[in-house]
Amino acid sequence: MKQPPANALASRDSGTVSPLTHKCLSMANYFRQHWVLYVMLIPGLFFLFVYKLLPLWGLQIAFKDYKMFAAETPWKAITESAWVGFKHFKKLFGSSQFAKVLRNTLVINFLKILWLFPIPILCAILLNEIRCRIYQKLCQTMIYVPYFFSWVLIFGIFYSLLGSYGIVNSVISALGGERINFFGDQGVFRGILIFTEGWKEIGYNTVIYLAAITGIDPTLYEAAKMDGANKFQQILNITLPGLLPTIVLMLIMKVGYILTTGFEQVLVFYNPSVYDVADIIETYVYRIGLGQADFSLATALGLFNAVVAFILIVGANTVSKKTLGRSIW
């Protein structure tokens, strides 16, 4: 009978186990101790699978001449539809409509970043300097509450203010001026989008920066006071550097999603008279995908949008890492 190696016998006798076995035992022990946390992961993993991983099967619609009724179910119809390669991408990139919606998307979101990105930082710094806690919480609540309003409700609020017979136009008319078509004037409509976006989102972003400020060591401010630094110098040399990691993170996220933000807002606010300046990629996908039932072209546009967003967020992260030494990963 063949005898086991001497080192194996020594290992067994000494009670030692291999590194792989030890790691597996450690993981099993950790799972037994924290099984509740893994149970809590189930809803998130289910959401990830259903809404993120499962739809990846449908991406092939962009490369097929999709016919919904080519099979018993729309799911099976994907397989039965004819493969056409990059036909829909060529159609998409050769369309003047695509160039217009891409330009509108970039311009609108760039203006939002330019005008709205610095405001939450300033609001957070100003709120942090309020010494009366009751007044600070009151101000914070007032700017944070609009974040919970739906875009439909916000449109109703601003239409009652800026509509043709709203409060603002009624005042203008009473003073002898001409009524302004805020929601139909192409020169004004983008400003409405930027203003309403700021009114709704600034409070939420302010809370993020306030949380970052609370993580700054208070002793730094005390040392600065002892050195004779005034409030502006403290903000410039302590608060802003402390906020820099959060600012970089938020800016990278904004740049990465520059093609995929504003859908609900634009869909609710815009109308055919401002399509030329307000129709963005996501609303265009919605109109040709559901309105015209051209699912292949809509999928091609959505895939292009996702690829560009991925390139932008990776590029912004790389630039930030090389220039500022800070990044998401």
Side-chain angles (χ1 to χ4, degrees):
M1 182 177 178
K2 187 177 180 179
Q3 296 296 327
N7 58 351
L9 290 174
S11 176
R12 186 189 305 170
D13 293 341
S14 62
T16 60
V17 295
S18 65
L20 179 61
T21 304
H22 179 72
K23 186 175 182 180
C24 292
L25 291 174
S26 299
M27 291 178 63
N29 187 42
Y30 183 85
F31 178 80
R32 284 195 299 268
Q33 293 178 357
H34 303 90
W35 65 271
V36 176
L37 298 178
Y38 289 93
V39 172
M40 293 173 63
L41 277 176
I42 294 176
L45 293 175
F46 177 78
F47 175 86
L48 180 66
F49 177 76
V50 173
Y51 292 98
K52 300 298 181 181
L53 298 180
L54 197 60
L56 293 178
W57 171 260
L59 288 180
Q60 57 185 304
I61 294 176
F63 305 95
K64 290 190 171 187
D65 193 5
Y66 180 65
K67 304 295 182 184
M68 182 184 294
F69 302 103
E72 298 174 357
T73 63
W75 187 263
K76 292 182 179 179
I78 298 176
T79 306
E80 299 296 330
S81 299
W83 186 273
V84 294
F86 291 96
K87 169 187 173 182
H88 300 294
F89 289 94
K90 293 177 182 178
K91 179 182 177 181
L92 179 66
F93 297 144
S95 170
S96 60
Q97 190 75 9
F98 169 74
K100 182 176 68 176
V101 298
L102 178 61
R103 182 178 66 253
N104 289 339
T105 304
L106 292 173
V107 169
I108 290 173
N109 287 317
F110 175 76
L111 290 174
K112 285 181 178 180
I113 294 175
L114 179 65
W115 291 105
L116 302 181
F117 185 77
I119 296 178
I121 302 172
L122 179 62
C123 288
I125 293 173
L126 293 177
L127 284 174
N128 185 62
E129 296 302 325
I130 298 177
R131 293 294 169 256
C132 178
R133 287 300 174 186
I134 297 178
Y135 182 60
Q136 183 191 53
K137 296 299 181 183
L138 177 63
C139 293
Q140 182 177 335
T141 301
M142 289 177 63
I143 64 174
Y144 187 56
V145 166
Y147 176 76
F148 297 99
F149 295 167
S150 68
W151 280 114
V152 176
L153 178 59
I154 292 175
F155 173 76
I157 293 172
F158 279 90
Y159 190 80
S160 65
L161 293 173
L162 304 176
S164 299
Y165 295 94
I167 297 174
V168 173
N169 273 317
S170 297
V171 172
I172 293 174
S173 178
L175 295 175
E178 296 184 2
R179 296 179 182 270
I180 302 173
N181 187 8
F182 289 99
F183 295 95
D185 189 339
Q186 295 185 1
V188 177
F189 188 76
R190 284 178 178 171
I192 299 296
L193 292 178
I194 295 169
F195 181 81
T196 53
E197 170 89 6
W199 186 75
K200 184 180 190 296
E201 301 289 341
I202 281 176
Y204 174 78
N205 293 323
T206 298
V207 172
I208 296 175
Y209 292 113
L210 271 174
I213 291 176
T214 58
I216 300 175
D217 189 355
T219 59
L220 295 175
Y221 293 99
E222 296 175 2
K225 289 180 182 178
M226 294 180 64
D227 290 338
N230 57 35
K231 186 60 66 177
F232 178 76
Q233 291 172 329
Q234 293 174 34
I235 292 173
L236 191 62
N237 295 287
I238 300 176
T239 306
L240 286 178
L243 285 175
L244 187 59
T246 306
I247 294 173
V248 171
L249 171 64
M250 296 296 290
L251 184 58
I252 291 174
M253 298 297 290
K254 289 287 186 182
V255 172
Y257 290 99
I258 197 171
L259 297 182
T260 57
T261 56
F263 169 68
E264 296 88 351
Q265 179 194 22
V266 176
L267 184 65
V268 171
F269 275 74
Y270 82 157
N271 56 77
S273 63
V274 292
Y275 276 175
D276 288 340
V277 296
D279 198 17
I280 61 176
I281 290 177
E282 289 182 303
T283 55
Y284 184 60
V285 169
Y286 174 81
R287 287 194 293 110
I288 65 174
L290 295 181
Q292 302 177 17
D294 194 344
F295 300 106
S296 296
L297 188 63
T299 305
L301 181 54
L303 181 58
F304 164 80
N305 198 12
V307 170
V308 172
F310 175 77
I311 294 173
L312 286 174
I313 198 168
V314 172
N317 186 74
T318 303
V319 171
S320 175
K321 181 184 291 186
K322 290 184 178 297
T323 57
L324 301 175
R326 301 177 184 275
S327 59
I328 298 178
W329 64 84

